[in-house]
Amino acid sequence: MWQKKQSPHRKRKTTRQLINTKTITGYSLLTQSGEEIAYFLIQPVNLSVLSQESLSARVYALMNVLKGLAELELLCMDSRENFESNKQYLRARMEEEENEKVRALLAQDAQMLDHIQIQTTTAREFLLLVRLRELREQEIFPFLGRVEKLIQEQGFKARRANAQDIQRMLAVYFEQDVTTEHFKDCDGERWLKIGGASH
């Protein structure tokens, strides 16, 4: 049976190309399509304890932030782990396990995962992002400073995301990794040996 051979000149896309990411700077994300995006992390407020008047004031303040700068976009992400595949595995193991004590331990593991998921079910991360268009290099930091000031003047606790924050945001978005504390710039970087010394 005849099969079409893949052209040797056809290149497979890298992970960076697939997620439209070129590189991460100290303050922004550069995309494959040529955009530069800066992020601001917003410290969340426990809305359940606010009065109706306070809640309305927060909504109005957020509206002022978004109205104050047309380039701003709002991003909300789940910042919790998903244990569904782990729980499915434990359920399958419980069904096939004959030892009653092992089944009880598996049930306890599943219950613990349920408990963790319930505790973190409302964990959200809020970010404001701004696309840095038509700005010269010397204009970027003053512009980002003005954006940060605008957000803070409306009563929000916000800070500009650095490279580690952006890496963590991508890890949460693409694989729901909320446990890694420090991200390496290159995968396997810790195993690199230079001149016989491990770093």
Side-chain angles (χ1 to χ4, degrees), residues 3-187:
Q3 285 186 333
K4 185 180 178 183
K5 289 186 178 178
Q6 191 173 2
S7 168
H9 302 294
R10 189 174 172 188
K11 291 184 179 178
R12 294 182 181 207
K13 289 188 175 181
T14 65
T15 304
R16 286 185 184 190
Q17 288 170 328
L18 289 170
I19 64 172
N20 191 25
T21 299
K22 187 174 182 181
T23 190
I24 296 171
T25 72
Y27 61 89
S28 68
L29 173 73
L30 295 172
T31 69
Q32 294 284 340
S33 52
E35 279 194 307
E36 185 172 14
I37 307 168
Y39 298 86
F40 294 88
L41 302 167
I42 306 293
Q43 188 174 319
V45 175
N46 187 353
L47 300 177
S48 61
V49 300
L50 293 180
S51 67
Q52 187 64 40
E53 293 77 20
S54 297
L55 188 55
S56 296
R58 300 300 292 170
V59 171
Y60 185 73
L62 179 59
M63 185 184 72
N64 283 337
V65 168
L66 296 173
K67 266 193 342 186
L69 197 66
E71 294 89 350
L72 276 180
E73 298 173 39
L74 183 62
L75 177 64
C76 176
M77 298 190 312
D78 262 337
S79 57
R80 67 181 180 94
E81 289 185 274
N82 188 336
F83 298 111
E84 206 49 49
S85 59
N86 302 64
K87 291 190 314 193
Q88 286 174 359
Y89 169 77
L90 290 172
R91 281 194 292 268
R93 280 287 292 114
M94 278 188 275
E95 286 176 13
E96 66 187 29
E97 183 57 57
E98 295 177 9
N99 187 319
E100 196 174 315
K101 290 182 180 178
V102 174
R103 262 200 321 271
L105 289 172
L106 290 168
Q108 286 177 18
D109 282 346
Q111 192 175 6
M112 181 200 63
L113 292 180
D114 279 335
H115 180 68
I116 292 170
Q117 211 152 6
I118 288 166
Q119 282 185 319
T120 60
T121 193
T122 57
R124 300 284 185 269
E125 192 157 16
F126 296 93
L127 301 97
L128 289 173
L129 66 93
V130 62
R131 298 175 194 273
L132 305 174
R133 296 185 178 115
E134 300 172 9
L135 287 173
R136 293 194 298 271
E137 193 173 337
Q138 64 268 27
E139 296 174 325
I140 291 175
F141 284 108
F143 173 72
L144 292 176
R146 287 195 303 275
V147 173
E148 192 168 356
K149 187 178 178 187
L150 169 72
I151 297 167
Q152 291 172 349
E153 280 175 348
Q154 293 299 325
F156 292 97
K157 290 181 181 175
R159 67 176 178 82
R160 190 183 319 148
N162 58 31
Q164 278 292 302
D165 294 322
I166 296 170
Q167 286 174 322
R168 185 178 52 76
M169 179 198 70
L170 292 173
V172 169
Y173 183 81
F174 285 107
E175 58 179 49
Q176 290 187 318
D177 176 359
V178 296
T179 56
T180 303
E181 291 181 11
H182 181 76
F183 292 92
K184 302 290 184 186
D185 290 331
C186 298
D187 196 19

